[in-house]
Amino acid sequence: MAISTVNPGLRRAAKGPRRNLAPLWLLSPAGIVLLAVLVAPIIYLVVTSFTDYDQRTLYTGAYDSVGIANYLSLFTDPDFWWSLIRTVLFTAAMVAGSIVIGTGVSHLLTRLSTVMRYVVTIVLIFAWGMPNVASSLVWKWLFQPGYGVMNWFLTQLHVFGDMTNVDWSNNAFLSYASIWMLIVWQAVPFIALTLYAAETQIPTELKEAVRLDGASEWGVYKTITLTFLKPTLLLVTILSVIWDYNVFNQIWLVSQGGPDDATSTLGVFTFTTAFVGFHLGQGAAISVVTTLILLILTVFYIRNLIRSGEDL
């Protein structure tokens, strides 16, 4: 009888690498949690959007399938389209303001002394760490008619006249202005600190070389700094779009979508439809459409982010 002299290790190698299941076992607890808190609610949301789930269902548990009736009703509702337009425009304004101011603050941090840089960083962290519900309520108090600090300050400037009794929440433009300032104030710290961390990694010799070629400081910033910051800028932009697109707390606490639904974005429109009018099936349909729109925007930005990383 012939005895095989082939090494068992070589025999296994010939069959191919053995798959190690240890990483899958280590990731399984996190995967189960994600399925429970993310995937399952999304599935339930989609299923609910095809039903007439309403206030009666909350008490009896009874509901009927309505097919795509909720979506047809939604796409023929002018209030939905107006809220979508307001959301897109307001998101663009908030993202633009946050990115521009955050970029300026991040560059300012590179020019400050060590002590001042630490002071500004601590202030930014405190502003970023404040809960948005608490900051929204304080913000609303600042603009209250009669005793609001901002109204008093603007009156003292003698530029806008007497602003003491102006109610910002009863004016569409002023409501947007106050909410815009609040959200930009909350967003700037993260953007500024993230861009500052990226800017400190730019090789200084590249900047010096451009300066030796006669470029101004703006030329150095535009040619070198912004080029290296492009991937980070795209990253904070996509995050800002996601956050600002879903803004609800600040708008609801400051103006509750008023006056006359002038500040009713998709978040407010969804809330009032589902939890004020108790049309939960319709509210679920709005949420599904909102998520799909945001997913499309996210895919677009991620594709550009990957391309920008490959170009560097």
Side-chain angles (χ1 to χ4, degrees):
M1 180 182 293
I3 299 176
S4 174
T5 59
V6 179
N7 190 311
L10 295 176
R11 190 179 301 161
R12 286 195 298 269
K15 293 180 180 179
R18 187 174 182 179
R19 187 174 183 182
N20 187 4
L21 298 179
L24 295 178
W25 285 109
L26 293 173
L27 291 174
S28 59
I32 294 173
V33 172
L34 287 176
L35 286 173
V37 302
L38 184 63
V39 178
I42 290 177
I43 294 175
Y44 183 73
L45 177 71
V46 174
V47 172
T48 304
S49 69
F50 293 100
T51 66
D52 61 351
Y53 207 104
D54 55 12
Q55 191 173 12
R56 174 202 55 161
T57 310
L58 297 177
Y59 293 99
T60 65
Y63 62 88
D64 297 315
S65 176
V66 295
I68 62 173
N70 286 330
Y71 292 93
L72 294 176
S73 175
L74 179 65
F75 292 139
T76 56
D77 186 358
D79 291 336
F80 165 75
W81 293 107
W82 279 114
S83 64
L84 176 60
I85 293 172
R86 284 191 290 264
T87 300
V88 172
L89 295 178
F90 197 34
T91 298
M94 290 185 292
V95 171
S98 302
I99 295 298
V100 171
I101 298 175
T103 303
V105 173
S106 71
H107 191 61
L108 175 65
L109 287 171
T110 64
R111 300 302 184 95
L112 296 176
S113 63
T114 303
V115 175
M116 284 303 300
R117 184 163 59 250
Y118 278 116
V119 171
V120 174
T121 300
I122 291 172
V123 171
L124 290 173
I125 292 174
F126 272 117
W128 185 28
M130 182 174 291
N132 59 43
V133 173
S135 59
S136 298
L137 291 175
V138 172
W139 199 266
K140 187 174 182 178
W141 293 339
L142 290 175
F143 292 90
Q144 280 291 326
Y147 59 85
V149 175
M150 287 303 301
N151 287 5
W152 172 85
F153 176 74
L154 292 174
T155 300
Q156 300 306 309
L157 293 178
H158 301 291
V159 176
F160 305 101
D162 188 3
M163 298 283 292
T164 305
N165 295 314
V166 173
D167 188 354
W168 290 61
S169 62
N170 280 335
N171 181 283
F173 175 79
L174 294 180
S175 292
Y176 273 117
S178 62
I179 296 169
W180 181 88
M181 289 186 287
L182 170 61
I183 294 173
V184 169
W185 171 74
Q186 293 173 333
V188 161
F190 171 78
I191 296 172
L193 295 176
T194 302
L195 292 177
Y196 168 70
E199 192 168 349
T200 56
Q201 304 305 310
I202 300 175
T204 56
E205 55 268 20
L206 294 179
K207 296 182 180 180
E208 293 299 329
V210 175
R211 289 190 182 100
L212 290 175
D213 289 337
S216 62
E217 287 301 314
W218 167 245
V220 173
Y221 185 78
K222 182 175 63 174
T223 305
I224 303 298
T225 305
L226 288 182
T227 300
F228 275 85
L229 288 181
K230 187 177 179 181
T232 309
L233 278 170
L234 284 173
L235 175 62
V236 295
T237 299
I238 182 177
L239 292 175
S240 297
V241 169
I242 294 173
W243 294 334
D244 295 343
Y245 187 85
N246 291 312
V247 163
F248 170 76
N249 289 340
Q250 295 89 328
I251 297 176
W252 185 257
L253 292 172
V254 172
S255 67
Q256 294 188 343
D260 297 326
D261 293 332
T263 58
S264 179
T265 57
L266 277 177
V268 176
F269 182 63
T270 304
F271 177 80
T272 55
T273 300
F275 300 108
V276 177
F278 285 103
H279 301 295
L280 299 178
Q282 185 77 21
I286 302 172
S287 298
V288 171
V289 173
T290 302
T291 303
L292 290 176
I293 295 173
L294 188 59
L295 182 62
I296 294 172
L297 293 175
T298 303
V299 170
F300 172 77
Y301 275 106
I302 289 178
R303 185 181 65 178
N304 282 274
L305 179 63
I306 295 174
R307 287 181 176 177
S308 66
E310 293 174 349
D311 292 339
L312 291 179

PDB file of all heavy atoms in Angstrom, residues 93-129:
ATOM      1  N   ALA A  93     -29.118  77.151   2.233  1.00  0.00           N
ATOM      2  CA  ALA A  93     -28.672  78.350   2.941  1.00  0.00           C
ATOM      3  C   ALA A  93     -27.913  78.000   4.218  1.00  0.00           C
ATOM      4  O   ALA A  93     -26.875  78.602   4.520  1.00  0.00           O
ATOM      5  CB  ALA A  93     -29.880  79.232   3.273  1.00  0.00           C
ATOM      6  N   MET A  94     -28.406  77.011   4.961  1.00  0.00           N
ATOM      7  CA  MET A  94     -27.744  76.627   6.209  1.00  0.00           C
ATOM      8  C   MET A  94     -26.389  75.983   5.945  1.00  0.00           C
ATOM      9  O   MET A  94     -25.406  76.272   6.638  1.00  0.00           O
ATOM     10  CB  MET A  94     -28.647  75.680   7.008  1.00  0.00           C
ATOM     11  CG  MET A  94     -29.880  76.346   7.580  1.00  0.00           C
ATOM     12  SD  MET A  94     -30.859  75.259   8.632  1.00  0.00           S
ATOM     13  CE  MET A  94     -31.502  74.076   7.431  1.00  0.00           C
ATOM     14  N   VAL A  95     -26.326  75.100   4.948  1.00  0.00           N
ATOM     15  CA  VAL A  95     -25.069  74.437   4.633  1.00  0.00           C
ATOM     16  C   VAL A  95     -24.044  75.453   4.136  1.00  0.00           C
ATOM     17  O   VAL A  95     -22.875  75.430   4.555  1.00  0.00           O
ATOM     18  CB  VAL A  95     -25.284  73.324   3.588  1.00  0.00           C
ATOM     19  CG1 VAL A  95     -23.952  72.774   3.100  1.00  0.00           C
ATOM     20  CG2 VAL A  95     -26.127  72.212   4.182  1.00  0.00           C
ATOM     21  N   ALA A  96     -24.463  76.354   3.254  1.00  0.00           N
ATOM     22  CA  ALA A  96     -23.540  77.368   2.738  1.00  0.00           C
ATOM     23  C   ALA A  96     -23.007  78.245   3.864  1.00  0.00           C
ATOM     24  O   ALA A  96     -21.794  78.501   3.948  1.00  0.00           O
ATOM     25  CB  ALA A  96     -24.247  78.219   1.679  1.00  0.00           C
ATOM     26  N   GLY A  97     -23.893  78.715   4.734  1.00  0.00           N
ATOM     27  CA  GLY A  97     -23.448  79.552   5.845  1.00  0.00           C
ATOM     28  C   GLY A  97     -22.526  78.811   6.781  1.00  0.00           C
ATOM     29  O   GLY A  97     -21.494  79.361   7.225  1.00  0.00           O
ATOM     30  N   SER A  98     -22.851  77.560   7.102  1.00  0.00           N
ATOM     31  CA  SER A  98     -22.028  76.775   8.022  1.00  0.00           C
ATOM     32  C   SER A  98     -20.639  76.516   7.445  1.00  0.00           C
ATOM     33  O   SER A  98     -19.630  76.642   8.146  1.00  0.00           O
ATOM     34  CB  SER A  98     -22.712  75.443   8.337  1.00  0.00           C
ATOM     35  OG  SER A  98     -23.991  75.642   8.899  1.00  0.00           O
ATOM     36  N   ILE A  99     -20.589  76.151   6.158  1.00  0.00           N
ATOM     37  CA  ILE A  99     -19.304  75.824   5.536  1.00  0.00           C
ATOM     38  C   ILE A  99     -18.433  77.072   5.407  1.00  0.00           C
ATOM     39  O   ILE A  99     -17.228  77.047   5.726  1.00  0.00           O
ATOM     40  CB  ILE A  99     -19.519  75.176   4.158  1.00  0.00           C
ATOM     41  CG1 ILE A  99     -20.237  73.823   4.310  1.00  0.00           C
ATOM     42  CG2 ILE A  99     -18.193  74.996   3.451  1.00  0.00           C
ATOM     43  CD1 ILE A  99     -19.480  72.803   5.108  1.00  0.00           C
ATOM     44  N   VAL A 100     -19.009  78.172   4.958  1.00  0.00           N
ATOM     45  CA  VAL A 100     -18.221  79.400   4.766  1.00  0.00           C
ATOM     46  C   VAL A 100     -17.675  79.913   6.100  1.00  0.00           C
ATOM     47  O   VAL A 100     -16.480  80.196   6.239  1.00  0.00           O
ATOM     48  CB  VAL A 100     -19.079  80.478   4.075  1.00  0.00           C
ATOM     49  CG1 VAL A 100     -18.344  81.827   4.082  1.00  0.00           C
ATOM     50  CG2 VAL A 100     -19.405  80.073   2.644  1.00  0.00           C
ATOM     51  N   ILE A 101     -18.540  80.022   7.094  1.00  0.00           N
ATOM     52  CA  ILE A 101     -18.089  80.534   8.396  1.00  0.00           C
ATOM     53  C   ILE A 101     -17.155  79.531   9.068  1.00  0.00           C
ATOM     54  O   ILE A 101     -16.132  79.919   9.654  1.00  0.00           O
ATOM     55  CB  ILE A 101     -19.298  80.846   9.296  1.00  0.00           C
ATOM     56  CG1 ILE A 101     -20.156  81.934   8.651  1.00  0.00           C
ATOM     57  CG2 ILE A 101     -18.849  81.270  10.681  1.00  0.00           C
ATOM     58  CD1 ILE A 101     -21.439  82.243   9.403  1.00  0.00           C
ATOM     59  N   GLY A 102     -17.480  78.243   8.999  1.00  0.00           N
ATOM     60  CA  GLY A 102     -16.613  77.228   9.595  1.00  0.00           C
ATOM     61  C   GLY A 102     -15.239  77.202   8.962  1.00  0.00           C
ATOM     62  O   GLY A 102     -14.227  77.043   9.662  1.00  0.00           O
ATOM     63  N   THR A 103     -15.173  77.368   7.633  1.00  0.00           N
ATOM     64  CA  THR A 103     -13.883  77.410   6.955  1.00  0.00           C
ATOM     65  C   THR A 103     -13.076  78.625   7.391  1.00  0.00           C
ATOM     66  O   THR A 103     -11.858  78.540   7.610  1.00  0.00           O
ATOM     67  CB  THR A 103     -14.085  77.437   5.432  1.00  0.00           C
ATOM     68  OG1 THR A 103     -14.857  76.300   5.032  1.00  0.00           O
ATOM     69  CG2 THR A 103     -12.758  77.412   4.703  1.00  0.00           C
ATOM     70  N   GLY A 104     -13.755  79.763   7.537  1.00  0.00           N
ATOM     71  CA  GLY A 104     -13.058  80.962   8.001  1.00  0.00           C
ATOM     72  C   GLY A 104     -12.525  80.808   9.416  1.00  0.00           C
ATOM     73  O   GLY A 104     -11.393  81.205   9.716  1.00  0.00           O
ATOM     74  N   VAL A 105     -13.319  80.225  10.299  1.00  0.00           N
ATOM     75  CA  VAL A 105     -12.881  80.030  11.684  1.00  0.00           C
ATOM     76  C   VAL A 105     -11.718  79.044  11.750  1.00  0.00           C
ATOM     77  O   VAL A 105     -10.764  79.232  12.517  1.00  0.00           O
ATOM     78  CB  VAL A 105     -14.051  79.540  12.561  1.00  0.00           C
ATOM     79  CG1 VAL A 105     -13.569  79.179  13.965  1.00  0.00           C
ATOM     80  CG2 VAL A 105     -15.128  80.606  12.643  1.00  0.00           C
ATOM     81  N   SER A 106     -11.771  77.984  10.934  1.00  0.00           N
ATOM     82  CA  SER A 106     -10.682  76.998  10.941  1.00  0.00           C
ATOM     83  C   SER A 106      -9.368  77.638  10.501  1.00  0.00           C
ATOM     84  O   SER A 106      -8.305  77.353  11.076  1.00  0.00           O
ATOM     85  CB  SER A 106     -11.024  75.825  10.022  1.00  0.00           C
ATOM     86  OG  SER A 106     -10.978  76.212   8.655  1.00  0.00           O
ATOM     87  N   HIS A 107      -9.420  78.501   9.489  1.00  0.00           N
ATOM     88  CA  HIS A 107      -8.204  79.183   9.039  1.00  0.00           C
ATOM     89  C   HIS A 107      -7.733  80.197  10.081  1.00  0.00           C
ATOM     90  O   HIS A 107      -6.530  80.394  10.259  1.00  0.00           O
ATOM     91  CB  HIS A 107      -8.455  79.866   7.701  1.00  0.00           C
ATOM     92  CG  HIS A 107      -7.206  80.358   7.032  1.00  0.00           C
ATOM     93  ND1 HIS A 107      -6.183  79.518   6.660  1.00  0.00           N
ATOM     94  CD2 HIS A 107      -6.806  81.619   6.689  1.00  0.00           C
ATOM     95  CE1 HIS A 107      -5.212  80.229   6.097  1.00  0.00           C
ATOM     96  NE2 HIS A 107      -5.568  81.501   6.110  1.00  0.00           N
ATOM     97  N   LEU A 108      -8.691  80.811  10.765  1.00  0.00           N
ATOM     98  CA  LEU A 108      -8.322  81.748  11.829  1.00  0.00           C
ATOM     99  C   LEU A 108      -7.555  81.033  12.942  1.00  0.00           C
ATOM    100  O   LEU A 108      -6.608  81.599  13.511  1.00  0.00           O
ATOM    101  CB  LEU A 108      -9.578  82.407  12.395  1.00  0.00           C
ATOM    102  CG  LEU A 108      -9.397  83.338  13.599  1.00  0.00           C
ATOM    103  CD1 LEU A 108      -8.567  84.561  13.223  1.00  0.00           C
ATOM    104  CD2 LEU A 108     -10.757  83.755  14.157  1.00  0.00           C
ATOM    105  N   LEU A 109      -7.939  79.798  13.253  1.00  0.00           N
ATOM    106  CA  LEU A 109      -7.258  79.046  14.308  1.00  0.00           C
ATOM    107  C   LEU A 109      -5.784  78.816  13.992  1.00  0.00           C
ATOM    108  O   LEU A 109      -4.954  78.733  14.904  1.00  0.00           O
ATOM    109  CB  LEU A 109      -7.953  77.702  14.517  1.00  0.00           C
ATOM    110  CG  LEU A 109      -9.318  77.740  15.216  1.00  0.00           C
ATOM    111  CD1 LEU A 109      -9.984  76.364  15.166  1.00  0.00           C
ATOM    112  CD2 LEU A 109      -9.175  78.201  16.655  1.00  0.00           C
ATOM    113  N   THR A 110      -5.448  78.729  12.702  1.00  0.00           N
ATOM    114  CA  THR A 110      -4.046  78.515  12.329  1.00  0.00           C
ATOM    115  C   THR A 110      -3.216  79.776  12.492  1.00  0.00           C
ATOM    116  O   THR A 110      -1.981  79.699  12.501  1.00  0.00           O
ATOM    117  CB  THR A 110      -3.943  78.029  10.868  1.00  0.00           C
ATOM    118  OG1 THR A 110      -4.441  79.057   9.985  1.00  0.00           O
ATOM    119  CG2 THR A 110      -4.765  76.761  10.672  1.00  0.00           C
ATOM    120  N   ARG A 111      -3.867  80.927  12.622  1.00  0.00           N
ATOM    121  CA  ARG A 111      -3.153  82.201  12.734  1.00  0.00           C
ATOM    122  C   ARG A 111      -3.090  82.723  14.169  1.00  0.00           C
ATOM    123  O   ARG A 111      -2.412  83.710  14.415  1.00  0.00           O
ATOM    124  CB  ARG A 111      -3.832  83.253  11.848  1.00  0.00           C
ATOM    125  CG  ARG A 111      -3.881  82.907  10.370  1.00  0.00           C
ATOM    126  CD  ARG A 111      -2.487  82.684   9.812  1.00  0.00           C
ATOM    127  NE  ARG A 111      -2.460  82.434   8.397  1.00  0.00           N
ATOM    128  CZ  ARG A 111      -2.244  83.365   7.468  1.00  0.00           C
ATOM    129  NH1 ARG A 111      -2.092  84.625   7.843  1.00  0.00           N
ATOM    130  NH2 ARG A 111      -2.205  83.037   6.200  1.00  0.00           N
ATOM    131  N   LEU A 112      -3.798  82.097  15.086  1.00  0.00           N
ATOM    132  CA  LEU A 112      -3.834  82.573  16.463  1.00  0.00           C
ATOM    133  C   LEU A 112      -2.644  82.046  17.252  1.00  0.00           C
ATOM    134  O   LEU A 112      -2.039  81.027  16.898  1.00  0.00           O
ATOM    135  CB  LEU A 112      -5.132  82.129  17.141  1.00  0.00           C
ATOM    136  CG  LEU A 112      -6.440  82.688  16.580  1.00  0.00           C
ATOM    137  CD1 LEU A 112      -7.621  82.068  17.310  1.00  0.00           C
ATOM    138  CD2 LEU A 112      -6.487  84.207  16.720  1.00  0.00           C
ATOM    139  N   SER A 113      -2.360  82.734  18.351  1.00  0.00           N
ATOM    140  CA  SER A 113      -1.339  82.238  19.268  1.00  0.00           C
ATOM    141  C   SER A 113      -1.848  80.981  19.964  1.00  0.00           C
ATOM    142  O   SER A 113      -3.042  80.662  19.907  1.00  0.00           O
ATOM    143  CB  SER A 113      -0.990  83.313  20.301  1.00  0.00           C
ATOM    144  OG  SER A 113      -2.136  83.614  21.098  1.00  0.00           O
ATOM    145  N   THR A 114      -0.952  80.281  20.634  1.00  0.00           N
ATOM    146  CA  THR A 114      -1.333  79.023  21.274  1.00  0.00           C
ATOM    147  C   THR A 114      -2.425  79.217  22.315  1.00  0.00           C
ATOM    148  O   THR A 114      -3.400  78.461  22.374  1.00  0.00           O
ATOM    149  CB  THR A 114      -0.104  78.374  21.931  1.00  0.00           C
ATOM    150  OG1 THR A 114       0.906  78.171  20.937  1.00  0.00           O
ATOM    151  CG2 THR A 114      -0.470  77.042  22.560  1.00  0.00           C
ATOM    152  N   VAL A 115      -2.270  80.258  23.149  1.00  0.00           N
ATOM    153  CA  VAL A 115      -3.247  80.502  24.210  1.00  0.00           C
ATOM    154  C   VAL A 115      -4.607  80.833  23.623  1.00  0.00           C
ATOM    155  O   VAL A 115      -5.640  80.264  24.019  1.00  0.00           O
ATOM    156  CB  VAL A 115      -2.769  81.625  25.143  1.00  0.00           C
ATOM    157  CG1 VAL A 115      -3.847  81.968  26.173  1.00  0.00           C
ATOM    158  CG2 VAL A 115      -1.480  81.233  25.845  1.00  0.00           C
ATOM    159  N   MET A 116      -4.645  81.745  22.662  1.00  0.00           N
ATOM    160  CA  MET A 116      -5.917  82.130  22.058  1.00  0.00           C
ATOM    161  C   MET A 116      -6.548  80.973  21.293  1.00  0.00           C
ATOM    162  O   MET A 116      -7.771  80.820  21.270  1.00  0.00           O
ATOM    163  CB  MET A 116      -5.724  83.329  21.129  1.00  0.00           C
ATOM    164  CG  MET A 116      -5.546  84.646  21.843  1.00  0.00           C
ATOM    165  SD  MET A 116      -6.943  85.017  22.936  1.00  0.00           S
ATOM    166  CE  MET A 116      -8.301  85.044  21.780  1.00  0.00           C
ATOM    167  N   ARG A 117      -5.706  80.135  20.686  1.00  0.00           N
ATOM    168  CA  ARG A 117      -6.240  78.982  19.965  1.00  0.00           C
ATOM    169  C   ARG A 117      -6.935  78.026  20.925  1.00  0.00           C
ATOM    170  O   ARG A 117      -7.997  77.483  20.618  1.00  0.00           O
ATOM    171  CB  ARG A 117      -5.125  78.271  19.207  1.00  0.00           C
ATOM    172  CG  ARG A 117      -5.647  77.126  18.356  1.00  0.00           C
ATOM    173  CD  ARG A 117      -4.624  76.686  17.307  1.00  0.00           C
ATOM    174  NE  ARG A 117      -3.376  76.248  17.908  1.00  0.00           N
ATOM    175  CZ  ARG A 117      -2.228  76.915  17.831  1.00  0.00           C
ATOM    176  NH1 ARG A 117      -2.164  78.074  17.179  1.00  0.00           N
ATOM    177  NH2 ARG A 117      -1.131  76.451  18.380  1.00  0.00           N
ATOM    178  N   TYR A 118      -6.352  77.804  22.098  1.00  0.00           N
ATOM    179  CA  TYR A 118      -6.999  76.952  23.091  1.00  0.00           C
ATOM    180  C   TYR A 118      -8.307  77.572  23.587  1.00  0.00           C
ATOM    181  O   TYR A 118      -9.303  76.872  23.797  1.00  0.00           O
ATOM    182  CB  TYR A 118      -6.059  76.711  24.274  1.00  0.00           C
ATOM    183  CG  TYR A 118      -5.055  75.603  24.035  1.00  0.00           C
ATOM    184  CD1 TYR A 118      -3.692  75.862  24.003  1.00  0.00           C
ATOM    185  CD2 TYR A 118      -5.480  74.298  23.841  1.00  0.00           C
ATOM    186  CE1 TYR A 118      -2.775  74.854  23.774  1.00  0.00           C
ATOM    187  CE2 TYR A 118      -4.567  73.276  23.610  1.00  0.00           C
ATOM    188  CZ  TYR A 118      -3.216  73.557  23.580  1.00  0.00           C
ATOM    189  OH  TYR A 118      -2.328  72.549  23.348  1.00  0.00           O
ATOM    190  N   VAL A 119      -8.310  78.875  23.789  1.00  0.00           N
ATOM    191  CA  VAL A 119      -9.521  79.556  24.263  1.00  0.00           C
ATOM    192  C   VAL A 119     -10.647  79.414  23.240  1.00  0.00           C
ATOM    193  O   VAL A 119     -11.782  79.056  23.583  1.00  0.00           O
ATOM    194  CB  VAL A 119      -9.233  81.037  24.550  1.00  0.00           C
ATOM    195  CG1 VAL A 119     -10.530  81.795  24.835  1.00  0.00           C
ATOM    196  CG2 VAL A 119      -8.279  81.180  25.731  1.00  0.00           C
ATOM    197  N   VAL A 120     -10.336  79.699  21.974  1.00  0.00           N
ATOM    198  CA  VAL A 120     -11.347  79.597  20.922  1.00  0.00           C
ATOM    199  C   VAL A 120     -11.823  78.153  20.771  1.00  0.00           C
ATOM    200  O   VAL A 120     -13.024  77.893  20.589  1.00  0.00           O
ATOM    201  CB  VAL A 120     -10.794  80.139  19.589  1.00  0.00           C
ATOM    202  CG1 VAL A 120     -11.789  79.903  18.461  1.00  0.00           C
ATOM    203  CG2 VAL A 120     -10.471  81.616  19.709  1.00  0.00           C
ATOM    204  N   THR A 121     -10.912  77.196  20.879  1.00  0.00           N
ATOM    205  CA  THR A 121     -11.293  75.793  20.751  1.00  0.00           C
ATOM    206  C   THR A 121     -12.242  75.372  21.864  1.00  0.00           C
ATOM    207  O   THR A 121     -13.241  74.675  21.625  1.00  0.00           O
ATOM    208  CB  THR A 121     -10.039  74.898  20.773  1.00  0.00           C
ATOM    209  OG1 THR A 121      -9.180  75.263  19.689  1.00  0.00           O
ATOM    210  CG2 THR A 121     -10.423  73.429  20.638  1.00  0.00           C
ATOM    211  N   ILE A 122     -11.953  75.796  23.092  1.00  0.00           N
ATOM    212  CA  ILE A 122     -12.826  75.459  24.225  1.00  0.00           C
ATOM    213  C   ILE A 122     -14.210  76.072  24.040  1.00  0.00           C
ATOM    214  O   ILE A 122     -15.233  75.427  24.298  1.00  0.00           O
ATOM    215  CB  ILE A 122     -12.181  75.927  25.543  1.00  0.00           C
ATOM    216  CG1 ILE A 122     -10.938  75.088  25.840  1.00  0.00           C
ATOM    217  CG2 ILE A 122     -13.173  75.815  26.705  1.00  0.00           C
ATOM    218  CD1 ILE A 122     -10.129  75.592  27.012  1.00  0.00           C
ATOM    219  N   VAL A 123     -14.257  77.309  23.574  1.00  0.00           N
ATOM    220  CA  VAL A 123     -15.548  77.972  23.331  1.00  0.00           C
ATOM    221  C   VAL A 123     -16.332  77.222  22.261  1.00  0.00           C
ATOM    222  O   VAL A 123     -17.549  77.001  22.394  1.00  0.00           O
ATOM    223  CB  VAL A 123     -15.320  79.439  22.914  1.00  0.00           C
ATOM    224  CG1 VAL A 123     -16.634  80.068  22.455  1.00  0.00           C
ATOM    225  CG2 VAL A 123     -14.736  80.244  24.077  1.00  0.00           C
ATOM    226  N   LEU A 124     -15.651  76.811  21.203  1.00  0.00           N
ATOM    227  CA  LEU A 124     -16.322  76.060  20.137  1.00  0.00           C
ATOM    228  C   LEU A 124     -16.865  74.731  20.652  1.00  0.00           C
ATOM    229  O   LEU A 124     -17.987  74.314  20.307  1.00  0.00           O
ATOM    230  CB  LEU A 124     -15.349  75.811  18.983  1.00  0.00           C
ATOM    231  CG  LEU A 124     -14.940  77.026  18.147  1.00  0.00           C
ATOM    232  CD1 LEU A 124     -13.855  76.648  17.153  1.00  0.00           C
ATOM    233  CD2 LEU A 124     -16.136  77.625  17.416  1.00  0.00           C
ATOM    234  N   ILE A 125     -16.092  74.050  21.488  1.00  0.00           N
ATOM    235  CA  ILE A 125     -16.536  72.767  22.022  1.00  0.00           C
ATOM    236  C   ILE A 125     -17.753  72.944  22.929  1.00  0.00           C
ATOM    237  O   ILE A 125     -18.700  72.139  22.892  1.00  0.00           O
ATOM    238  CB  ILE A 125     -15.382  72.073  22.773  1.00  0.00           C
ATOM    239  CG1 ILE A 125     -14.296  71.648  21.785  1.00  0.00           C
ATOM    240  CG2 ILE A 125     -15.891  70.861  23.561  1.00  0.00           C
ATOM    241  CD1 ILE A 125     -13.056  71.078  22.434  1.00  0.00           C
ATOM    242  N   PHE A 126     -17.753  74.001  23.750  1.00  0.00           N
ATOM    243  CA  PHE A 126     -18.909  74.261  24.607  1.00  0.00           C
ATOM    244  C   PHE A 126     -20.157  74.534  23.770  1.00  0.00           C
ATOM    245  O   PHE A 126     -21.256  74.056  24.082  1.00  0.00           O
ATOM    246  CB  PHE A 126     -18.632  75.441  25.543  1.00  0.00           C
ATOM    247  CG  PHE A 126     -17.968  75.039  26.824  1.00  0.00           C
ATOM    248  CD1 PHE A 126     -16.699  75.494  27.123  1.00  0.00           C
ATOM    249  CD2 PHE A 126     -18.598  74.205  27.726  1.00  0.00           C
ATOM    250  CE1 PHE A 126     -16.063  75.121  28.303  1.00  0.00           C
ATOM    251  CE2 PHE A 126     -17.990  73.826  28.909  1.00  0.00           C
ATOM    252  CZ  PHE A 126     -16.709  74.285  29.205  1.00  0.00           C
ATOM    253  N   ALA A 127     -20.008  75.334  22.706  1.00  0.00           N
ATOM    254  CA  ALA A 127     -21.147  75.635  21.840  1.00  0.00           C
ATOM    255  C   ALA A 127     -21.645  74.378  21.135  1.00  0.00           C
ATOM    256  O   ALA A 127     -22.864  74.176  20.983  1.00  0.00           O
ATOM    257  CB  ALA A 127     -20.758  76.696  20.809  1.00  0.00           C
ATOM    258  N   TRP A 128     -20.720  73.527  20.712  1.00  0.00           N
ATOM    259  CA  TRP A 128     -21.075  72.295  20.013  1.00  0.00           C
ATOM    260  C   TRP A 128     -21.728  71.294  20.952  1.00  0.00           C
ATOM    261  O   TRP A 128     -22.629  70.550  20.572  1.00  0.00           O
ATOM    262  CB  TRP A 128     -19.822  71.702  19.375  1.00  0.00           C
ATOM    263  CG  TRP A 128     -20.061  70.505  18.520  1.00  0.00           C
ATOM    264  CD1 TRP A 128     -21.195  70.202  17.820  1.00  0.00           C
ATOM    265  CD2 TRP A 128     -19.141  69.448  18.265  1.00  0.00           C
ATOM    266  NE1 TRP A 128     -21.025  69.018  17.129  1.00  0.00           N
ATOM    267  CE2 TRP A 128     -19.768  68.532  17.389  1.00  0.00           C
ATOM    268  CE3 TRP A 128     -17.836  69.195  18.674  1.00  0.00           C
ATOM    269  CZ2 TRP A 128     -19.149  67.387  16.934  1.00  0.00           C
ATOM    270  CZ3 TRP A 128     -17.215  68.056  18.213  1.00  0.00           C
ATOM    271  CH2 TRP A 128     -17.868  67.159  17.353  1.00  0.00           C
ATOM    272  N   GLY A 129     -21.290  71.252  22.201  1.00  0.00           N
ATOM    273  CA  GLY A 129     -21.788  70.272  23.142  1.00  0.00           C
ATOM    274  C   GLY A 129     -23.131  70.614  23.765  1.00  0.00           C
ATOM    275  O   GLY A 129     -23.736  69.759  24.424  1.00  0.00           O
TER     276      GLY A 129
END
